[in-house]
């Protein structure tokens, strides 16, 4: 199976993700944070649910402008009493308090001579506008209107909206069960002693860290030896997604594909035409997906961020799973070969600056730490000038419900 273009790889994963069967569960509100809604939410309470004061002041009748009005009452937020203003009457009112009947303007204390300290009456100025400093019932959210959709992320803002409707439990899609495994006889864990010919297992730390930073929980299964029996055991574990590292390059890929074919898996992607990151494999085995990332850490991290994370969000039920690019100015000119490149850089108020002038390799880790964004450049982009506008993807990805062409 030949390596596919990046554009084709994106389409393959979008199609595969759309057909994934998602399970649901009913969760208490705060336990649902970070999940994706499995139900529509319709407003059960208008916001505001009653006409109220937008600031501290005096509630008046517009017909009394230019006249003296008697202070009938003081109304505070949460008061249940009903107040009705007759001609020549006003009321002191605090922010959020229910508006008296017949009042159609709230005048801030500082506009009235004597301000808050008036006890008996006030003189109402001319030139006030009906509706000033009043929040009308339902002006934000009307009753029985859809306010959240299936697939919306339950973030801190959605939590506040749900709470405002008296929602204490929601139906959400179940979390993906993700397992992460390393392969390679040369690997040692960070807490072990490594000989000169051995390397520390940084890839799984990177994968677990990136997944966690985007809200995905994953289990680490350790280092599996390079033999079919151990790989078969891993593939049979009860995960929705299985990550492996180091099994995607030529030679290793033949071994991995042989085992996958033996189990009846469908190879969806066997390499992507991009540098760094060409050796990646994605397969489907019944209802689970196997993702073999490159063993080189920089290549694995780059592909995980802009290719695999959108796929995972789609599988998890998110309706906003398309990365959204930012258009910024390139700070320093650079040249590229005629190929698809993923270039690391730093995004700042001045624009995008290539990391180490692009002179790093796929096996390095330091450039990842020195960067906060990725620019994807097609074969046509062989030279990018200083001041030229380009599209970049920040590490802290912005997600949208509409597909965005983020390739330059």
């Amino acid at each position: 199976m030949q390596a596919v273009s990046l554009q084709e790889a994106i389409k393959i994963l979008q199609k595969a993700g759309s057909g994934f069967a998602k399970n649901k569960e009913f969760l208490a509100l705060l336990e649902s944070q970070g999940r994706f809604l499995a139900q529509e939410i319709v407003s059960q309470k208008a916001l505001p649910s009653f006409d109220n004061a937008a600031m501290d002041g005096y509630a008046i009748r517009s017909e009394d402008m230019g006249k003296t009005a008697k202070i009938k009452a003081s109304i505070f937020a949460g008061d249940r009493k009903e107040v009705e203003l007759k001609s020549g009457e006003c009321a002191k009112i605090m922010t959020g308090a229910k508006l008296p009947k017949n009042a159609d303007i709230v005048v801030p204390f500082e506009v009235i001579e004597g301000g808050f300290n008036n006890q008996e009456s006030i003189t109402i100025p001319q030139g006030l506008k009906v509706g000033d400093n009043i929040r009308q019932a339902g002006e934000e959210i009307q009753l029985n209107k859809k306010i959240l959709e299936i697939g919306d992320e339950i973030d801190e803002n959605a939590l506040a909206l749900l709470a405002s409707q008296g929602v204490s439990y929601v139906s959400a899609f179940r979390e993906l069960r993700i397992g992460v495994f390393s392969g390679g006889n040369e690997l040692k864990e960070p807490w072990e002693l490594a000989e000169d010919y051995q390397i520390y297992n940084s890839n799984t730390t990177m994968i677990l860290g990136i997944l966690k930073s985007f809200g995905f929980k994953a289990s680490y299964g350790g280092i599996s030896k390079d033999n079919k029996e151990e790989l078969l055991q891993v593939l049979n574990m009860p995960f929705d997604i299985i990550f492996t590292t180091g099994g995607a390059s030529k030679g290793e890929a033949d071994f991995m594909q042989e085992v996958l074919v033996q189990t009846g898996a469908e190879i969806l992607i066997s390499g992507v035409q991009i540098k760094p990151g060409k050796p990646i494999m994605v397969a489907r085995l019944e209802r689970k997906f196997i993702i073999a990332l490159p063993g080189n850490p920089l290549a694995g991290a780059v592909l995980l961020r802009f290719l695999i994370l959108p796929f995972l969000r789609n599988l998890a039920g998110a309706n906003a799973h398309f990365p959204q690019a930012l258009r910024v100015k390139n700070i320093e000119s650079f040249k590229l070969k005629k190929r698809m490149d993923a270039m690391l850089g730093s995004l700042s108020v001045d624009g995008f600056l290539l990391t180490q002038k692009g002179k790093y390799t796929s096996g390095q880790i330091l450039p990842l730490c020195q960067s906060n964004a990725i620019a994807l450049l097609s074969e046509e982009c062989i030279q990018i000038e200083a001041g030229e506008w380009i599209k970049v993807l920040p590490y802290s990805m912005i997600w949208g419900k509409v597909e965005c062409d983020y390739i330059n």
Side-chain angles (χ1 to χ4, degrees), residues 135-289:
R135 291 192 288 238
Q136 301 287 342
E139 73 174 31
E140 180 185 356
I141 297 174
Q142 296 179 357
L143 196 61
N144 297 321
K145 295 293 183 180
K146 183 170 68 175
I147 54 174
L148 290 171
E149 299 178 340
I150 293 174
D152 280 349
E153 185 170 0
I154 309 172
D155 59 12
E156 65 279 11
N157 303 310
L159 286 175
L161 186 56
L162 289 164
S164 77
Q165 297 297 304
V167 175
S168 57
Y169 283 82
V170 292
S171 176
F173 291 115
R174 179 179 58 77
E175 288 180 315
L176 294 176
R177 297 169 300 177
I178 301 175
V180 180
F181 300 84
S182 274
N185 297 327
E186 78 283 9
L187 293 179
K188 284 289 184 180
E189 299 291 14
W191 55 87
E192 297 178 316
L193 180 64
E195 301 293 341
D196 289 343
Y197 63 91
Q198 296 173 316
I199 59 174
Y200 283 116
N201 178 21
S202 61
N203 279 351
T204 50
T205 302
M206 175 269 294
I207 294 170
L208 291 165
I210 292 177
L211 292 176
K212 184 178 180 180
S213 70
F214 283 89
F216 293 107
K217 296 178 182 176
S219 302
Y220 176 46
I223 301 171
S224 57
K225 300 300 180 183
D226 291 336
N227 63 67
K228 292 182 181 179
E229 290 71 25
E230 286 211 20
L231 182 54
L232 283 170
Q233 288 180 6
V234 168
L235 296 179
N236 286 324
M237 290 184 178
F239 292 110
D240 300 310
I241 313 290
I242 294 174
F243 279 95
T244 67
T245 62
S249 59
K250 190 170 177 60
E252 293 172 324
D254 296 337
F255 165 73
M256 174 73 80
Q257 284 200 34
E258 182 182 341
V259 176
L260 288 171
V261 169
Q262 181 181 331
T263 60
E266 175 190 5
I267 309 297
L268 300 176
I269 296 173
S270 182
V272 176
Q273 295 167 3
I274 188 170
K275 184 176 178 65
K278 183 176 181 179
I280 180 175
M281 185 187 303
V282 181
R284 177 166 46 203
L285 178 59
E286 297 175 351
R287 71 173 309 276
K288 73 178 66 171
F289 291 92

Side-chain angles (χ1 to χ4, degrees), residues 283-342:
R284 177 166 46 203
L285 178 59
E286 297 175 351
R287 71 173 309 276
K288 73 178 66 171
F289 291 92
I290 296 92
I291 301 170
L293 290 173
N296 284 326
L298 190 144
V302 167
L303 284 172
L304 177 55
R305 284 187 178 278
F306 72 81
L307 184 63
I308 300 303
L309 282 175
F311 177 52
L312 295 184
R313 281 181 64 91
N314 193 0
L315 295 178
N319 53 25
H321 58 266
F322 296 105
Q324 304 294 297
L326 301 177
R327 289 187 75 248
V328 299
K329 283 186 177 180
N330 178 50
I331 296 175
E332 290 183 0
S333 63
F334 58 89
K335 293 182 179 181
L336 296 166
K337 294 182 180 179
K338 191 176 176 59
R339 66 188 180 199
M340 179 72 73
D341 277 292

Side-chain angles (χ1 to χ4, degrees), residues 2-196:
Q2 297 296 315
V4 297
S5 68
L6 175 58
Q7 293 89 335
E8 185 62 26
I10 292 169
K11 290 179 182 178
I12 290 170
L13 293 182
Q14 285 178 4
K15 183 178 179 181
S18 300
F20 184 71
K22 303 171 183 66
N23 295 319
K24 306 172 186 178
E25 56 185 337
F26 211 48
L27 297 172
L29 192 57
L30 284 175
E31 291 178 7
S32 71
Q33 186 170 9
R35 302 288 192 91
F36 303 100
L37 278 171
Q39 66 175 110
E40 284 186 350
I41 301 295
V42 175
S43 59
Q44 302 300 307
K45 188 179 179 70
L47 288 183
S49 56
F50 53 87
D51 294 347
N52 68 83
M55 62 189 306
D56 298 347
Y58 290 97
I60 68 163
R61 296 162 62 115
S62 57
E63 65 185 46
D64 290 331
M65 283 190 288
K67 300 177 184 178
T68 297
K70 179 183 176 182
I71 300 173
K72 182 175 184 177
S74 293
I75 311 170
F76 297 86
D79 282 357
R80 298 181 63 182
K81 61 187 177 186
E82 295 287 340
V83 178
E84 180 177 352
L85 299 184
K86 296 178 182 178
S87 181
E89 293 180 336
C90 68
K92 284 185 180 179
I93 192 165
M94 306 303 156
T95 304
K98 187 174 183 180
L99 203 67
K101 188 175 180 182
N102 299 327
D104 54 5
I105 300 175
V106 172
V107 188
F109 286 133
E110 56 268 25
V111 174
I112 302 294
E113 185 178 349
F116 177 81
N117 296 323
N118 291 304
Q119 300 298 320
E120 300 295 331
S121 64
I122 63 170
T123 299
I124 302 173
Q126 294 276 13
L128 302 174
K129 184 180 176 182
V130 172
D132 274 356
N133 305 310
I134 293 175
R135 291 192 288 238
Q136 301 287 342
E139 73 174 31
E140 180 185 356
I141 297 174
Q142 296 179 357
L143 196 61
N144 297 321
K145 295 293 183 180
K146 183 170 68 175
I147 54 174
L148 290 171
E149 299 178 340
I150 293 174
D152 280 349
E153 185 170 0
I154 309 172
D155 59 12
E156 65 279 11
N157 303 310
L159 286 175
L161 186 56
L162 289 164
S164 77
Q165 297 297 304
V167 175
S168 57
Y169 283 82
V170 292
S171 176
F173 291 115
R174 179 179 58 77
E175 288 180 315
L176 294 176
R177 297 169 300 177
I178 301 175
V180 180
F181 300 84
S182 274
N185 297 327
E186 78 283 9
L187 293 179
K188 284 289 184 180
E189 299 291 14
W191 55 87
E192 297 178 316
L193 180 64
E195 301 293 341
D196 289 343

